[in-house]
Amino acid sequence: MVKKNKETKQFRVRLRLNEKIIVVLLFAAASAAIAFSGAILYTLVDGSFSFFTDPKVDIIEFFLGDKWIPTGNNPSFGILPLLSGTILIAGGAVVIGTPLGVAAALYLSEFASHRIRSIVKPIIEILAGIPSIVYGFFALMLIAPIFREYFGADYFNAASAIVVIAIMILPIVISISDDALKAVPNHMRKASFGLGATRWETATKIVMPAASSGIIASSLLGLARAIGETMVVLLVAGSVANFTFNPFNEVMTMSAFIAKVATGDIPPGPAVSAAFAVGLVLFIITYIINMIAARIVLRIKTGGSLYAKKGDRRNIVARQYIKFIQASTYFLFRIRDTLHNFKNRVYKAKALTLERRYLKQRIGKVVVGGSIIIAIVFLIILLFDIFSRGIEGISWTFFTSYPSRFPSKAGIYPVILGSLYLMFLTVLFSAPLGVGAAVYLNEFARDTKYTRFLRRLIQNLAGVPSIVFGLMGLAIFVRLFNLEYSLLSGSLILTIMVLPIIIVASEEALKSVPQSFREAARGLGATKWQSVRHHVLPNALSGTLTGIILAISRAIGETAPILFIVAFFAKTAPSSIMDGFLALPSQIFYWSTHPQTEFHTLAASTIIVLLMILFAMNAVAITIRYRSQARRDW
Amino acid sequence: MKVVLRNEMLTKKTNGDDISVRNVNVFYGSNHAVKDISMDIKKRSVTAFIGPSGCGKTTLLRVFNRMNDEIIGCRTEGSIILNGVDILDKKVDPVALRSKVGMVFQKPNPFPKSIFENIAYGPKIHGIRSKGELKEIVENSLKKAAIWEEVSDRLDESAMGLSGGQQQRLCIARALAIEPEIILMDEPCSALDPIATAKIEDLINELKLRYTVLIVTHNMQQAARVSDYTGFMYLGKLIEMGKTKQIFENPTEELTENYLTGRFG
């Protein structure tokens, strides 16, 4: 029996005080999302304000004008060419990538054996993990020349970007469509088989329509991703804002313009603040798309029916959007039926025998299976091309030299160091913040309006285009806080960017710890924090670590957020957090933009190094996950 | 790809010829779920299978339309002769078979489509394209399933809006739309309330004029009410089979009597 005396009483008072302080800290970590979202909004709104109040700028012309000439004596700021460029590239990528991705998901979900699934899914993960700058380099080296030579395209053209971005969004489309297809209850498939339908008929006539909202959501998320894509477009689509929808022309997208400002290609003046206005438009567009898609995905994940319940006023926009899509697909089906009837009247249709149905199934399987093959072949060609270009540049001098005007002397010593320092700082800032926020949200927060608001903010942060983070870093960290173009600024930007990843992964890890652990501890008299610290966190450790590694492997490949801050030349490696720095992805970008082959070799060699680091990180993450699963005895 | 042997025989409707089941065994991996069952099913009658949980009734039912083929690791042996064709023969295509043997499941499972589309799905995939023909088939099937009056004015509305009993009758109509010879029913009323159950039992009585109905049921009284022949199964074996009246009033096997009188359940 524990003796209660004055000492115990004082102990418990201190305990309660400590507990309160800790909960406040965790609450602050979660609420930081408000500060970060506010920072982004402030950046965009304030910058746009300065832009629109500039005498050379007319707001009507901004939204309706069709000339975008941001520099010179008579600048013209009509956003339509940037919009057309974005629509052309993002739209084209979605038009190619969605059918490809949905077909692949259909194959994986309805036809593939377990073995094939277990081989293909990791390959899709690899596709997802390749940084966009690598895709951009590949587009520049291999895809653009093909369009130039065989299609007579401009030197820089939208088509190259469209093709590559279509592949980039495949993992998103595949994974969400696959989830949606798997969520269709199995008894529907059984009912269809019972009626004598083939696998193909069941998959296309029953399962896919039932999963249609999820598939739509996946294409929306792919669209949002494509709209925000910067580096591929910057490298290969061009920098002349032509108002055109011809994919073989050079175009500039909104994100590319902002990045051009970042790389310093544009002299100071209203052009620079124009970047903020364009960033605001970009942000709003992606925000709306992500919001609609998220509502739909939420419905699927909670298994809710998409048929409106009476009096359910939330998700009205999502429902209206779904109704719109369903109405248009219904309309498309009516057109198809009319065409079929017409065709049947014109000539006698062949009977739909069993053989023909099986033929349809075989053709169908080839088509959907083929889409997976396309993705895999693309990956193989990409990796092979880059390795064959860059392998000759890998040498000891490469790792120990500094970047130089002379490619034969150039190396990436400060570049690797810069990236490593950047990652170290990012982990330092983001891990406690992210894990703390996750612990608060999962263990302490109650389901209040405020908590739901925080969660929505975090989800929205995850959907912000990466170049907008760059703008925010410039406005807040460099200008407002005077942190200069430093490692500190860079790591702070990346911290905010990877925060949602860490929070989501940590929350998942925490959720996987059985509730009984917590209850057992509380039952013995432990406070909430004690139960979390001693029983929940240790068991959620591996999941949290994996999440952090995942976040860092995203951050190390990101170019756009640090484009405003990073340097491309250095005489020495950074020695303090206030120093400037170089980084792997930005160096790849810099060298890619030089026309000489030797620089391309340098870029390819740097990509190899980057991919090796990513591979090592993911190997560590997988090992941690594997070990913890093996050791788990609950 | 499976070649359909003697397809014409399968698609031709024949009178007479009972369905003969010979030495049917089903294995799930190493689990012997259905043990050496042989029997004759009379055409155009209702045959009920009763027995305690896990005795293999549903597995046996699923042999008739080869739904077990979809399950990985499931092996079926033996033969079932329907219209002179052994439907368990590897050369017989399950897809073709299922247009002759329809199934109604335990839980009503309409597709998330309109009522019309639910019924029209079967005929459509079997090649019927003309709108007029489809309309006729839908109306006939819904009438045969005794649900036409209730839904004739809302054929374009979603089937998910129907009540449980209506959904199950919709599923029966859906199965009837492809003109099967045999209808398999796997505990069709277990998810329904008594009133809906009564409606479906009346329906079964009408169906047996045209179709051969095999019904699995947990409810002994339902079997007594609805069926002409009853088979009692226990632990994978067919213990006794005969006219319903005889099984219930004068069972030959002691095991059957014990089950019927509730000595075990």
Side-chain angles (χ1 to χ4, degrees), chain A residues 187-188 190-197 201-202 205-206 210 307 349-350 352 354 357-358, chain B residues 1 4 67 70 93 95-96 98 105 109 111-113 121 124-127 129 174-175 178:
Chain A
H187 62 68
M188 256 173 230
K190 286 204 180 134
S192 179
F193 289 139
L195 288 167
E201 285 159 352
T202 304
K205 293 181 199 260
I206 301 291
Y307 297 95
K350 288 213 196 119
L352 193 64
L354 208 54
R357 289 166 67 194
Y358 274 115
Chain B
M1 194 189 93
V4 177
M67 282 295 265
E70 310 294 324
D93 180 15
V95 170
R98 288 169 196 154
F105 298 82
N109 52 9
F111 301 129
K113 296 172 185 271
Y121 176 70
K124 266 197 194 163
I125 56 178
H126 286 101
R129 289 194 186 121
R174 189 174 62 182
I178 51 177

Side-chain angles (χ1 to χ4, degrees), chain A residues 451-474:
Chain A
T451 320
R452 274 173 290 179
F453 172 63
L454 277 185
R455 282 190 194 278
R456 260 212 314 275
L457 278 184
I458 295 174
Q459 205 175 33
N460 291 335
L461 266 181
V464 174
S466 47
I467 190 70
V468 173
F469 283 111
L471 276 174
M472 177 208 67
L474 179 70

Side-chain angles (χ1 to χ4, degrees), chain A residues 400-405 411 413-415 417 567-575 579-582:
Chain A
T400 52
S401 317
Y402 283 73
S404 143
R405 271 181 303 131
Y413 174 68
V415 181
L417 273 185
F568 300 119
F569 273 125
K571 290 249 165 67
T572 53
S575 50
D579 283 349
F581 64 98
L582 293 84

Side-chain angles (χ1 to χ4, degrees), chain A residues 484-559:
Chain A
E484 297 169 24
Y485 300 98
S486 61
L487 274 172
L488 186 59
S489 300
S491 53
L492 287 173
I493 297 174
L494 289 175
T495 299
I496 301 181
M497 198 187 79
V498 304
L499 205 60
I501 304 177
I502 298 187
I503 294 181
V504 166
S506 306
E507 266 208 279
E508 259 186 55
L510 292 168
K511 281 197 169 86
S512 76
V513 176
Q515 192 63 6
S516 55
F517 283 29
R518 299 176 183 82
E519 286 166 3
R522 300 300 305 277
L524 287 167
T527 65
K528 222 177 194 177
W529 171 243
Q530 281 177 327
S531 74
V532 168
R533 181 163 142 235
H534 297 139
H535 296 96
V536 179
L537 281 181
N539 288 307
L541 194 60
S542 68
T544 312
L545 270 179
T546 325
I548 296 178
I549 296 181
L550 225 92
I552 294 304
S553 49
R554 257 294 296 281
I556 200 174
E558 281 284 344
T559 327

Side-chain angles (χ1 to χ4, degrees), chain A residues 98 101-102 104-106 108-109 117 121 124-125 169-184 208 210-225 289-290 292-301 459:
Chain A
T98 302
V102 173
L106 194 69
L108 282 176
S109 162
R117 259 183 90 91
K121 289 221 117 189
I124 307 290
E125 295 293 310
I169 66 173
L170 274 187
I172 301 176
V173 176
I174 292 181
S175 94
I176 297 185
S177 296
D178 184 56
D179 280 349
L181 289 166
K182 283 244 160 294
V184 174
M208 215 167 75
S212 55
S213 345
I215 294 177
I216 294 171
S218 77
S219 73
L220 282 178
L221 288 169
L223 178 66
R225 175 77 182 82
I289 298 178
N290 276 318
I292 300 178
R295 289 283 165 83
I296 303 179
V297 171
L298 185 66
R299 286 283 192 150
I300 304 173
K301 287 221 159 95
Q459 205 175 33

Side-chain angles (χ1 to χ4, degrees), chain A residues 288-538:
Chain A
I288 294 177
I289 298 178
N290 276 318
M291 197 182 65
I292 300 178
R295 289 283 165 83
I296 303 179
V297 171
L298 185 66
R299 286 283 192 150
I300 304 173
K301 287 221 159 95
T302 56
S305 162
L306 283 145
Y307 297 95
K309 294 199 188 77
K310 287 206 170 63
D312 185 354
R313 278 174 35 229
R314 287 180 291 159
N315 303 330
I316 289 183
V317 175
R319 271 209 310 279
Q320 294 303 91
Y321 185 75
I322 293 175
K323 276 202 188 143
F324 169 72
I325 295 281
Q326 287 176 336
S328 7
T329 40
Y330 178 69
F331 181 65
L332 288 171
F333 276 124
R334 287 288 293 270
I335 297 183
R336 190 194 75 161
D337 284 344
T338 326
L339 287 174
H340 266 201
N341 285 338
F342 181 71
K343 180 190 84 171
N344 286 337
R345 253 178 277 187
V346 167
Y347 74 108
K348 203 156 183 289
K350 288 213 196 119
L352 193 64
T353 63
L354 208 54
E355 281 81 29
R356 299 206 86 224
R357 289 166 67 194
Y358 274 115
L359 182 68
K360 267 194 189 170
Q361 170 157 288
R362 269 181 305 175
I363 296 179
K365 272 165 100 168
V366 164
V367 167
V368 295
S371 53
I372 300 216
I373 306 260
I374 292 179
I376 298 181
V377 164
F378 187 94
L379 179 65
I380 294 179
I381 295 181
L382 181 145
L383 290 176
F384 182 74
D385 181 72
I386 289 180
F387 270 84
S388 58
R389 271 182 220 273
I391 195 75
E392 59 191 56
I394 306 277
S395 65
W396 185 244
T397 29
F398 183 61
F399 284 104
T400 52
S401 317
Y402 283 73
S404 143
R405 271 181 303 131
F406 305 103
S408 47
K409 293 202 209 146
I412 55 172
Y413 174 68
V415 181
I416 298 186
L417 273 185
S419 272
L420 288 178
Y421 289 155
L422 200 63
M423 292 309 114
F424 175 72
L425 284 174
T426 307
V427 173
L428 204 64
F429 296 138
S430 63
L433 211 57
V435 178
V439 168
Y440 176 75
L441 285 173
N442 200 51
E443 308 288 330
F444 292 93
R446 273 168 297 214
D447 189 21
T448 62
K449 263 202 211 151
Y450 182 71
T451 320
R452 274 173 290 179
F453 172 63
L454 277 185
R455 282 190 194 278
R456 260 212 314 275
L457 278 184
I458 295 174
Q459 205 175 33
N460 291 335
L461 266 181
V464 174
S466 47
I467 190 70
V468 173
F469 283 111
L471 276 174
M472 177 208 67
L474 179 70
I476 304 280
F477 298 127
V478 175
R479 292 185 180 166
L480 198 64
F481 290 174
N482 264 317
L483 295 177
E484 297 169 24
Y485 300 98
S486 61
L487 274 172
L488 186 59
S489 300
S491 53
L492 287 173
I493 297 174
L494 289 175
T495 299
I496 301 181
M497 198 187 79
V498 304
L499 205 60
I501 304 177
I502 298 187
I503 294 181
V504 166
S506 306
E507 266 208 279
E508 259 186 55
L510 292 168
K511 281 197 169 86
S512 76
V513 176
Q515 192 63 6
S516 55
F517 283 29
R518 299 176 183 82
E519 286 166 3
R522 300 300 305 277
L524 287 167
T527 65
K528 222 177 194 177
W529 171 243
Q530 281 177 327
S531 74
V532 168
R533 181 163 142 235
H534 297 139
H535 296 96
V536 179
L537 281 181

Side-chain angles (χ1 to χ4, degrees), chain B residues 121-187:
Chain B
Y121 176 70
K124 266 197 194 163
I125 56 178
H126 286 101
I128 300 184
R129 289 194 186 121
S130 106
K131 266 229 132 168
E133 234 181 301
L134 285 172
K135 268 195 182 157
E136 208 184 307
I137 292 179
V138 169
E139 184 174 333
N140 284 336
S141 313
L142 289 171
K143 282 186 176 153
K144 281 191 214 150
I147 192 181
W148 171 250
E149 264 91 54
E150 289 165 64
V151 300
S152 61
D153 55 345
R154 46 175 168 149
L155 291 179
D156 283 328
E157 282 178 28
S158 166
M160 311 298 264
L162 298 174
S163 75
Q166 289 173 319
Q167 284 187 1
Q168 191 64 305
R169 277 181 285 152
L170 179 78
C171 293
I172 296 176
R174 189 174 62 182
L176 294 177
I178 51 177
E179 296 281 318
E181 282 187 42
I182 304 175
I183 302 178
L184 308 173
M185 294 191 165
D186 185 3
E187 304 198 36

